[in-house]
Amino acid sequence: MKLTTFHKDGKDRLGLVDGDHVIDFNQAQPQVDADLRLALKSGVNLAVAAKNALLSKAERLPISSLQLSALIPEPGKIICLGLNYFDHAKEGGRDKPEYPWFFLRSASSLLAPNEDAILPKVSERLDYEAELAVVIGKSVKHATMDNALDCVFGYSCFNDISVRDYQKKTPQWTIGKNFDKTGGFGPVLVTADELPAGAEGLSIQARLNGQVMQSANTRDMIWGVAETIKLLTECLTLEPGDVIIMGTPAGVGQARTPPVWMKHDDTVEIEIENIGVLRNKIKAEVS
């Protein structure tokens, strides 16, 4: 099953992807909430509802005609990992961390597919980061390596766009990771049953104006999805609609000689094998 979120009549709607078209999931199956987070929290059987929707005569809208939204416009928690690929830690002059460098993003930082990412007035050091997004489908605390993946509903693409000089102003990375319109999320979610366990073994790339800047594989992550969930749930409860952003591989702009910063009118693409392509243009802030 593939899902997306699109904007229609002033509201975000949950879409069920059928080839190159999208079904308004709530319209076809009214028991399914129009918000993915709320649909997951309700406990409705989305797999059964999806089968019924696909068999129905519900209207199919061309996905190319839709204004897409961030996959979950208001997640419960957005938990990000820093330095989760060894080569990325190394290019930043750091050894392999002993424990994940967790930080949080806010919903106000999220960016829809095809929406313009903002190059802020206060900085020109805007950097891309290709990342795997994990969407939690049910509550879990004290997960084990054997059952951690049971709580995963699906996976998507994320661009953890970073304002590097602000990221480095303090030992905490929060401020440089929460500028408006810098967290690209989408365009689709692929449910966990359609991908390898933990989304392991998938190629992941970032492209800037068509040039490959990052190219790696999710098997290269230091902490995989299951271990990350195990570590997080030692501390907190993961809930339906929470999102984990799994870190980026080597090749970021700040580590290049000379550094490569995203500029006005650049196009950045994040592609993860068997999931999709997240695309955004960069536009200078004007107000």
Side-chain angles (χ1 to χ4, degrees):
M1 175 170 46
K2 289 186 179 181
L3 301 173
T4 192
T5 297
F6 63 99
H7 202 69
K8 181 182 179 184
D9 299 329
K11 297 180 180 179
D12 289 322
R13 308 288 298 177
L14 180 60
L16 175 64
V17 179
D18 181 16
D20 294 329
H21 291 73
V22 172
I23 299 169
D24 186 319
F25 210 162
N26 172 257
Q27 189 176 71
Q29 296 284 293
Q31 76 276 22
V32 176
D33 199 281
D35 180 284
L36 177 55
R37 181 189 176 201
L38 296 181
L40 292 170
K41 288 176 74 71
S42 75
V44 67
N45 191 322
L46 291 174
V48 171
K51 289 180 181 178
N52 291 334
L54 289 170
L55 291 171
S56 75
K57 296 181 180 180
E59 182 183 13
R60 270 70 169 168
L61 305 169
I63 194 168
S64 59
S65 71
L66 298 177
Q67 178 188 343
L68 300 183
S69 300
L71 185 64
I72 304 179
E74 295 188 0
K77 296 185 282 292
I78 309 170
I79 305 169
C80 305
L81 277 72
L83 309 179
N84 195 28
Y85 287 74
F86 177 73
D87 285 349
H88 177 51
K90 185 177 179 180
E91 72 178 357
R94 297 182 176 92
D95 294 327
K96 175 183 174 180
E98 296 181 2
Y99 187 82
W101 287 34
F102 291 120
F103 61 93
L104 299 180
R105 262 192 182 269
S106 62
S108 62
S109 75
L110 294 181
L111 172 71
N114 306 317
E115 186 178 16
D116 292 341
I118 296 176
L119 173 62
K121 288 182 176 181
V122 295
S123 176
E124 295 181 351
R125 298 185 178 185
L126 195 69
D127 206 349
Y128 51 83
E129 290 193 8
E131 310 210 12
L132 173 73
V134 181
V135 175
I136 301 299
K138 61 182 182 181
S139 295
V140 60
K141 181 73 184 288
H142 296 306
T144 68
M145 289 296 292
D146 290 333
N147 67 20
L149 294 180
D150 294 347
C151 74
V152 176
F153 179 68
Y155 300 91
S156 189
C157 301
F158 200 89
N159 191 350
D160 186 33
I161 296 174
S162 305
V163 183
R164 294 298 190 194
D165 45 350
Y166 275 75
Q167 180 184 344
K168 293 179 178 181
K169 281 181 181 288
T170 75
Q172 302 291 331
W173 292 356
T174 301
I175 197 67
K177 297 285 191 172
N178 279 280
F179 276 64
D180 293 341
K181 303 296 182 185
T182 58
F185 189 16
V188 299
L189 173 145
V190 178
T191 50
D193 60 301
E194 295 195 8
L195 295 170
E200 186 175 353
L202 305 180
S203 62
I204 179 170
Q205 279 193 350
R207 296 187 292 270
L208 185 60
N209 300 323
Q211 180 180 350
V212 175
M213 309 298 283
Q214 293 177 287
S215 185
N217 193 289
T218 56
R219 72 168 65 93
D220 300 329
M221 292 188 294
I222 298 170
W223 290 278
V225 175
E227 188 173 8
T228 298
I229 290 170
K230 176 181 179 294
L231 292 172
L232 282 171
T233 60
E234 291 175 353
C235 312
L236 52 85
T237 299
L238 289 173
E239 301 168 304
D242 287 350
V243 182
I244 306 171
I245 310 302
M246 292 296 301
T248 199
V252 297
Q254 72 167 349
R256 294 175 174 269
T257 305
V260 174
W261 307 119
M262 294 192 293
K263 305 180 300 297
H264 179 73
D265 275 345
D266 281 352
T267 298
V268 60
E269 296 171 303
I270 307 302
E271 181 170 8
I272 303 179
E273 182 181 5
N274 295 332
I275 296 179
V277 180
L278 169 65
R279 184 178 294 105
N280 297 98
K281 285 190 74 71
I282 309 300
K283 293 295 181 180
E285 186 177 14
V286 294
S287 62

